[in-house]
């Protein structure tokens, strides 16, 4: 309990101070919602939040598509290749973000300028690429964990009824994996929202995501509106996680199975 208190008390303090009417976060002047109203008065904050949400949705969509296909392949086509593929996914998961960021920056610049692929000069596209790498591995783990314990005879029965592979995929395999797919999408979105290191390296002027905006704001002193937006982002993350748990619960999973699915075990 002491450890959890040490971890969560600072977050609670930030939430409380998001209702501070003072000029600086550390200076409590009174209780109010002025900081939340300021969000609608500062275009820079609105732009940073919209960039984070936009890049998060696109990155989550791509990561969910790729990760779902990878997870289904690992669950339905077991073999030696799965072990090697899991090693590659593990490398993606454990590689320090600073290494990914340092590697991505010159690579994206090369693609955008030397090879003339102007898409990679776009700030949103750069953020999406950086956020999708890690999120794809997460979705792959979750979908594979979901399908690993399901009966393969369901897909075989579909084939026995002369359903072509594509129809079996959309009518049988994908519906069975859908709770994990949705969980992977929401987790990918939340991972993208708080990605700071990669975002700080690959972002371009005019497409600054929220975490990088906060990082730059620290130099001049944290203001209550920073805490206000952080509180809203935290609330959005908690709602997403709660919705994931709800979907998995409706699918018949126990609390232990929900925990295992969301951690990819």
């Amino acid at each position: 309990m002491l450890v959890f208190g040490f971890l969560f008390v600072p977050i609670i303090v930030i939430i409380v101070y998001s209702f501070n009417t003072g000029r600086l976060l550390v200076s409590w002047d009174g209780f109010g919602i002025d900081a939340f109203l300021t969000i609608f008065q500062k275009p820079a904050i609105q732009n940073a939040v919209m960039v984070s949400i936009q890049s998060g949705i696109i990155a989550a969509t791509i990561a969910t598509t790729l990760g779902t296909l990878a997870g289904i392949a690992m669950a339905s086509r077991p073999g030696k290749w799965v072990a090697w593929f899991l090693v590659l996914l593990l490398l993606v998961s454990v590689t320090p973000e600073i290494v990914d960021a340092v590697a991505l920056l010159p690579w994206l610049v090369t693609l955008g300028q030397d090879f003339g692929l102007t898409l990679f000069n776009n700030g949103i596209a750069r953020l999406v690429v950086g956020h999708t790498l890690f999120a794809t591995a997460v979705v792959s783990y979750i979908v594979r964990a979901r399908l690993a314990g399901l009966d393969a005879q369901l897909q075989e029965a579909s084939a026995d009824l002369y359903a072509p592979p594509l129809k079996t995929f959309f009518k049988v395999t994908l519906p069975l994996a859908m709770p994990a797919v949705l969980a992977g999408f929401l987790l990918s979105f939340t991972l993208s929202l708080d990605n700071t290191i990669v975002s700080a390296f690959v972002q371009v002027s005019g497409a600054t995501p929220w975490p990088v905006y906060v990082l730059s704001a620290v130099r001049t002193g944290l203001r209550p509106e920073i805490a206000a937006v952080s509180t809203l982002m935290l609330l959005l993350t908690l709602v997403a996680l709660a919705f994931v748990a709800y979907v998995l619960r409706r699918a018949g999973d126990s609390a232990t199975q929900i925990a295992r699915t969301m951690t990819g075990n």
Side-chain angles (χ1 to χ4, degrees):
M1 293 302 295
L2 290 175
V3 171
F4 279 113
F6 181 82
L7 292 174
F8 288 107
V9 165
I11 298 177
I12 296 174
V13 171
I14 289 296
I15 295 175
V16 172
Y17 270 76
S18 65
F19 295 94
N20 179 22
T21 58
R23 182 174 178 273
L24 295 176
L25 189 63
V26 296
S27 176
W28 180 270
D29 286 355
F31 184 87
I33 59 172
D34 297 357
F36 292 91
L37 297 177
T38 304
I39 298 174
F40 301 98
Q41 301 171 358
K42 290 191 174 183
I45 294 179
Q46 297 175 19
N47 181 68
V49 173
M50 289 306 299
V51 167
S52 289
I53 294 177
Q54 184 178 352
S55 59
I57 292 175
I58 299 174
T61 301
I62 297 175
T64 302
T65 302
L66 298 177
T68 298
L69 296 176
I72 292 175
M74 288 188 290
S76 59
R77 295 290 186 270
K80 292 183 178 180
W81 76 273
V82 174
W84 290 103
F85 194 76
L86 285 173
V87 170
L88 293 177
L89 292 177
L90 182 63
L91 287 176
V92 174
S93 303
V94 302
T95 300
E97 284 192 64
I98 187 66
V99 176
D100 289 334
V102 172
L104 276 173
L105 178 58
W107 176 235
L108 293 176
V109 171
T110 300
L111 291 175
Q113 298 182 6
D114 297 343
F115 287 91
L117 301 176
T118 56
L119 174 66
F120 295 100
N121 293 327
N122 182 274
I124 298 294
R126 287 189 174 194
L127 292 172
V128 168
V129 171
H131 297 174
T132 301
L133 294 176
F134 180 77
T136 300
V138 172
V139 177
S140 301
Y141 293 141
I142 294 176
V143 174
R144 177 177 178 268
R146 175 72 182 179
L147 293 178
L150 296 178
D151 192 352
Q153 292 182 351
L154 295 173
Q155 298 178 357
E156 295 173 359
S158 177
D160 290 339
L161 295 173
Y162 301 102
L166 194 60
K167 189 171 185 179
T168 299
F169 174 79
F170 283 106
K171 295 292 186 179
V172 179
T173 307
L174 190 58
L176 290 174
M178 188 53 68
V181 173
L182 181 57
F185 176 85
L186 294 175
L187 287 176
S188 299
F189 178 69
T190 57
L191 289 172
S192 176
L193 284 182
D194 64 4
N195 191 306
T196 304
I197 298 177
V198 173
S199 299
F201 274 76
V202 303
Q203 62 101 22
V204 298
S205 178
T208 301
W210 175 249
V212 179
Y213 179 89
V214 173
L215 192 62
S216 62
V218 173
R219 302 168 185 170
T220 58
L222 285 177
R223 298 181 181 276
E225 56 264 26
I226 301 295
V229 178
S230 300
T231 299
L232 295 177
M233 299 286 266
L234 175 63
L235 180 62
L236 178 62
T237 301
L238 294 177
V239 169
L241 292 176
F243 187 68
V244 169
Y246 172 77
V247 170
L248 294 177
R249 174 69 72 177
R250 288 293 300 271
D253 289 8
S254 64
T256 301
Q257 290 172 323
I258 291 174
R260 293 182 60 185
T261 298
M262 294 178 67
T263 56
N265 295 319

